[in-house]
Amino acid sequence: MAAGKSTTRKKIQATDLMNQVMSDYFYHLNEAATSGKQKVAWCTSVGPAELLRALGFAVHFPENHAAMLGATRMSTELIPEANSAGYSPDICSYLTADIGAWMKNITPLSKAYPGIESVPKPDVLVYNTNQCRDVQDWFSWYSKELGVPAIGISSPKNVVEVTEGHIDDVARQIEALIPTLEAISGNKLDMQRLRETVTLSRECSELWKKVLETATATPAPLTFFDGTIHMGPAVCLRGTQEAIDYYRVLLAELQGRVEAGVAAVDDESLRIYWEGMPVWGRLRQNSDLFAGLRTSVLASTYCSSWIFPSFDADNPIRSMAKAYLELFIVRSDAYKERYIKGMLEKYRIDGIIYHDAKTCPYNSNSRYGLPQRVEADTGIPCLVLSGDLNDLRCVSDEQTKTNIEAFVEQLQERQ
Amino acid sequence: MSDKTSRRTPGPVYVGLDMGSSRSKVVVIDEAGKLLGHAVKKSGTDFSRTAKACLDSALEMAGAEFDDIAGAMSTGYGRSNVGFVTEESKTEIGCLAKGGYHHFPEAITIIDIGGQDNKIIKLDAAGHRLNFKMNRKCAAGTGAFLEEMSARLDVSLEEMNHLARDAREMIKLGSYCTVFSATEVLESIRNGKNVNDIVKGIFYSMIRRVLEMDSLTERVVMTGGVVAHNAYLVEMVDEMIGRPVLLAEYPQLMGAVGAALYARDENQSAGATTAQASSKGE
């Protein structure tokens, strides 16, 4: 492949606002933890954040922190700390990076936000194993380390269709958390406040969906790599007005781009779907590589995983249970195949890349023949990239580059 | 092909440079795609210098001068280190496909065993790539694996082919990890096993690692240096897949030939565009 042409990065103007929103969020968390004015809960990314907010907790998301460790390329130096403590290099590198960072008393928050010295100390750790078992092990480590309770939801997995039985199960587990959380927060659950929080989460989710769907336009106004950055408020601030306000601004800008025909990737000639986790330490590198090949990676399962159409204020707890269960990662391969095929059609995709992340089997959907089945059904070529979300020891830059360039060559031959 | 030809002017020639992790391969072809000259050297640490040395040898063999080069294309890990002759590059997967189809113009599956990685590339009857796979981040089944085993056994790479051929039995290696396999080899040595049988087991292990990467459809073409220097390994593949493998005259040069063919096609395409523009008076 001829060397990719140089590209000019088109900055999304709303980025400055997002940075401010995230800065306010982290300083607020820090204030809550250091002053003791507000109780702090740690929550898995699709854990019961709505419940925690309704009870008045400030909510920290360790997965977001782990992604920051990856994006700042601090993780690879920290993972061995956790490895040496008995947490294998083969398990979740979010877990090992985050625990390693704690063991070394390091956080990227200190560099990004002067005055913040550590992650906010929790009063309670609340998980949902809808993503994986690792989050429970992760929080259990902190529970022992910090002497705070770790409680949560044990979710069904490999769900083909979400049934009333599944929802009953998870809803009851959410309800069972309430007494403990009320005791820790010192607040009685106000159902009206929970309804309002669920309403805010639903609105955030709908706006985020619209943001991502601007990429159905040709050319696409944003890429997967943009999405991984701009999803910050959807991850950390769902259930708040701040996230909604931000996504209204971002959506307006992207709709403006669509109307003006502004492309995220100049001369977009190929449209790619990304299945799996980002390689956080290679976001810029991969973004530049694809852009240089006039290839837009414009849609993904990952960014779309923060779309929750089932949140319903009229039935907050059951709808939370349903939303947490409908998540892609909870579902069977039969569902995942249908979902991916729908996305390939919706975004008019030329090729699909599966990231096989060494330490994240739950987000690596290339291990049970799914790529071959989807390709056979759709005729859309696929590529499986070996790598990892946070452990760059598992990433070969040269192999990644060769694979991507060869895949683009292959797709170009079909045009 | 003789290694020395009399000095002549072959007309415009095209150069393909396959700067592999282990060996650098350079070929010179003519307009018809005929191989005029070639050279293979250890890549070493200075890709540019190795490429120059290879190019000089290949041009001399072709009876051509540097100025005869009408187009050049590079490929391989060191593809961006040959700026003295070309800035143009293609992936080795693309070049292997191009070279493979040039030699065997039909639907084929190419198995390439390289120094650092293996590839399986599937082409349709028109030569279009249907898909490809590279090995994961693991040296098992690659030339690097063979080099490691050669050092462990204290036999040269050149000896391995006939050692395996003369084996009476085969010591199978159970692991797909190069380090674990080396331990198994040492254990076999300690237990007084026959070196020939161990080498055959090493060949078998390599082949298994490659064959488990993908299913094999259509006719199978093998390429790469390991194949070029170990005919017995190819015979073992024939037996394992139950049909004969196709080999070009120079399996190690397949990527370089593909690169040269790309250079020729792009030159002809540019020429056609220029001619078209001229005819329109542009």
Side-chain angles (χ1 to χ4, degrees):
Chain A
M1 160 119 350
K5 64 171 193 167
S6 62
T7 55
T8 309
R9 184 173 296 277
K10 286 195 199 74
K11 184 182 173 185
I12 293 176
Q13 298 305 316
T15 305
D16 291 342
L17 176 60
M18 183 197 66
N19 289 340
Q20 188 57 52
V21 168
M22 295 306 290
S23 172
D24 292 347
Y25 162 70
F26 285 117
Y27 277 115
H28 173 82
L29 262 177
N30 187 59
E31 170 69 11
T34 54
S35 70
K37 288 178 189 165
Q38 189 179 5
K39 299 291 183 184
V40 174
W42 287 13
C43 186
T44 54
S45 59
V46 189
E50 288 70 23
L51 179 63
L52 297 171
R53 289 201 195 287
L55 281 163
F57 285 100
V59 187
H60 169 71
F61 295 89
E63 287 152 81
N64 169 255
H65 185 250
M68 289 175 77
L69 288 165
T72 52
R73 289 175 293 284
M74 297 166 73
S75 54
T76 304
E77 296 300 315
L78 299 168
I79 288 167
E81 291 291 321
N83 297 156
S84 63
Y87 286 81
S88 163
D90 293 331
I91 66 164
C92 172
S93 60
Y94 268 4
L95 180 163
T96 48
D98 188 65
I99 289 178
W102 179 274
M103 291 168 76
K104 294 200 82 173
N105 194 25
I106 288 173
T107 172
L109 295 174
S110 296
K111 193 172 178 188
Y113 305 108
I116 296 182
E117 292 178 358
S118 80
V119 291
K121 304 278 191 312
D123 296 288
V124 64
L125 307 149
V126 185
Y127 58 81
N128 186 346
T129 62
N130 51 359
Q131 287 149 278
C132 59
R133 63 158 279 177
D134 297 57
V135 292
Q136 185 176 359
D137 295 281
W138 184 354
F139 281 22
S140 296
W141 185 87
Y142 277 107
S143 175
K144 193 169 180 196
E145 173 81 5
L146 301 173
V148 295
I151 57 176
I153 299 158
S154 293
S155 176
K157 296 287 289 179
N158 281 340
V159 172
V160 182
E161 300 297 343
V162 177
T163 64
E164 289 301 309
H166 293 126
I167 297 168
D168 287 345
D169 173 10
V170 173
R172 276 199 295 269
Q173 292 191 60
I174 294 171
E175 285 163 357
L177 300 174
I178 294 170
T180 306
L181 294 173
E182 285 179 333
I184 294 169
S185 69
N187 297 322
K188 188 85 181 152
L189 178 64
D190 176 347
M191 285 305 285
Q192 183 52 35
R193 192 167 172 196
L194 182 61
R195 285 193 181 90
E196 287 165 9
T197 308
V198 166
T199 301
L200 292 170
S201 278
R202 171 74 182 262
E203 195 169 353
C204 171
S205 159
E206 283 174 359
L207 283 163
W208 178 236
K209 181 169 187 267
K210 285 178 184 168
V211 163
L212 294 177
E213 286 179 347
T214 60
T216 57
T218 302
L222 91 164
T223 68
F224 161 64
F225 305 104
D226 298 323
T228 60
I229 302 302
H230 287 270
M231 68 195 281
V235 174
C236 297
L237 287 161
R238 84 173 197 260
T240 71
Q241 188 62 44
E242 288 85 348
I244 292 165
D245 293 344
Y246 172 66
Y247 286 120
R248 284 190 179 132
V249 173
L250 178 62
L251 180 60
E253 181 179 345
L254 293 173
Q255 286 173 335
R257 277 191 176 192
V258 171
E259 283 164 19
V262 175
V265 169
D266 287 336
D267 307 322
E268 171 190 300
S269 67
L270 289 170
R271 297 164 67 87
I272 301 286
Y273 185 83
W274 184 279
E275 207 321 289
M277 295 293 290
V279 184
W280 286 109
R282 293 288 182 265
L283 283 185
R284 168 66 71 92
Q285 193 168 313
N286 287 339
S287 170
D288 287 349
L289 174 60
F290 282 106
L293 298 170
R294 297 190 298 125
T295 297
S296 188
V297 184
L298 50 84
S300 68
T301 310
Y302 181 70
C303 290
S304 304
S305 290
W306 276 264
I307 296 170
F308 306 103
S310 288
F311 282 135
D312 178 2
D314 291 338
N315 207 348
I317 292 180
R318 281 189 74 79
S319 75
M320 285 161 57
K322 187 165 187 239
Y324 305 159
L325 280 161
E326 286 176 340
L327 200 61
F328 180 89
I329 196 168
V330 180
R331 311 301 289 276
S332 68
D333 266 21
Y335 170 85
K336 288 175 180 175
E337 278 177 49
R338 284 203 308 272
Y339 176 90
I340 290 170
K341 283 185 216 165
M343 294 292 266
L344 298 180
E345 192 175 339
K346 180 176 182 176
Y347 287 89
R348 299 183 309 288
I349 295 295
D350 298 303
I352 174 166
I353 293 178
Y354 295 85
H355 174 203
D356 188 299
K358 174 83 166 72
T359 71
C360 189
Y362 307 95
N363 272 308
S364 297
N365 289 301
S366 54
R367 299 183 183 181
Y368 295 87
L370 185 147
Q372 288 78 4
R373 293 193 294 273
V374 171
E375 183 172 320
D377 282 356
T378 64
I380 296 173
C382 69
L383 170 70
V384 178
L385 279 180
S386 292
D388 194 54
L389 54 162
N390 258 14
D391 191 344
L392 295 179
R393 296 174 300 180
C394 304
V395 175
S396 164
D397 289 330
E398 189 59 37
Q399 281 220 3
T400 301
K401 186 164 184 273
T402 299
N403 269 297
I404 290 171
E405 289 184 351
F407 189 51
V408 168
E409 284 177 355
Q410 179 187 333
L411 297 178
Q412 285 170 338
E413 280 182 5
R414 289 163 57 96
Q415 288 186 320
Chain B
M1 175 175 296
S2 128
D3 277 0
K4 287 278 176 192
T5 56
S6 57
R7 203 77 179 149
R8 60 188 173 80
T9 305
V13 297
Y14 301 91
V15 170
L17 307 99
D18 181 359
M19 307 304 296
S21 58
S22 174
R23 299 288 188 280
S24 294
K25 291 79 67 177
V26 174
V27 302
V28 176
I29 64 169
D30 65 13
E31 289 277 0
K34 186 182 167 200
L35 187 64
L36 302 177
H38 55 91
V40 179
K41 294 185 190 300
K42 268 193 174 177
S43 293
T45 54
D46 187 339
F47 277 87
S48 181
R49 192 167 160 182
T50 307
K52 276 181 187 158
C54 284
L55 180 59
D56 288 346
S57 298
L59 284 171
E60 186 182 354
M61 188 174 169
E65 306 278 352
F66 192 90
D67 289 345
D68 295 327
I69 299 172
M73 183 74 70
S74 69
T75 187
Y77 283 112
R79 59 188 178 275
S80 56
N81 296 98
V82 296
F84 69 94
V85 59
T86 181
E87 299 285 349
E88 295 295 313
S89 68
K90 294 274 185 189
T91 64
E92 51 263 47
I93 291 151
C95 290
L96 285 165
K98 185 89 171 168
Y101 190 74
H102 174 73
H103 286 90
F104 306 102
E106 56 185 301
I108 50 174
T109 295
I110 299 170
I111 299 175
D112 180 72
I113 303 181
Q116 292 286 342
D117 51 42
N118 298 326
K119 304 166 194 83
I120 293 187
I121 308 161
K122 293 184 180 178
L123 306 184
D124 66 15
H128 295 134
R129 271 174 274 173
L130 296 171
N131 59 47
F132 66 91
K133 287 203 176 135
M134 285 176 75
N135 62 307
R136 286 142 48 112
K137 307 164 296 295
C138 173
T142 69
F145 174 77
L146 208 54
E147 286 178 359
E148 169 70 17
M149 295 303 144
S150 134
R152 293 284 179 175
L153 289 167
D154 199 22
V155 297
S156 69
L157 284 168
E158 291 72 23
E159 288 176 273
M160 294 186 97
N161 188 61
H162 78 256
L163 285 171
R165 189 184 290 281
D166 292 344
R168 280 181 296 183
E169 292 178 23
M170 180 163 71
I171 309 289
K172 283 191 181 176
L173 303 176
S175 173
Y176 59 63
C177 166
T178 301
V179 176
F180 287 0
S181 294
T183 308
E184 287 185 66
V185 165
L186 288 174
E187 189 185 357
S188 294
I189 294 169
R190 272 202 312 274
N191 291 335
K193 300 289 185 188
N194 185 291
V195 172
N196 298 63
D197 298 345
I198 298 172
V199 174
K200 185 169 180 180
I202 289 168
F203 276 17
Y204 180 80
S205 171
M206 284 186 69
I207 297 165
R208 290 303 321 161
R209 296 295 82 77
V210 175
L211 296 185
E212 70 197 14
M213 286 169 60
D214 204 350
S215 59
L216 301 182
T217 53
E218 311 296 348
R219 301 186 75 190
V220 174
V221 176
M222 289 191 77
T223 65
V226 170
V227 169
H229 295 108
N230 296 285
Y232 185 62
L233 185 142
V234 179
E235 290 171 30
M236 287 175 73
V237 175
D238 287 346
E239 195 174 321
M240 286 167 74
I241 67 172
R243 57 191 192 272
V245 165
L246 302 173
L247 286 183
E249 185 180 7
Y250 299 102
Q252 194 172 12
L253 302 180
M254 195 67 89
V257 168
L261 290 167
Y262 268 124
R264 179 200 66 179
D265 290 356
E266 292 198 358
N267 188 63
Q268 288 175 348
S269 169
T273 306
T274 307
Q276 199 176 21
S278 301
S279 71
K280 288 179 181 170
E282 292 173 17

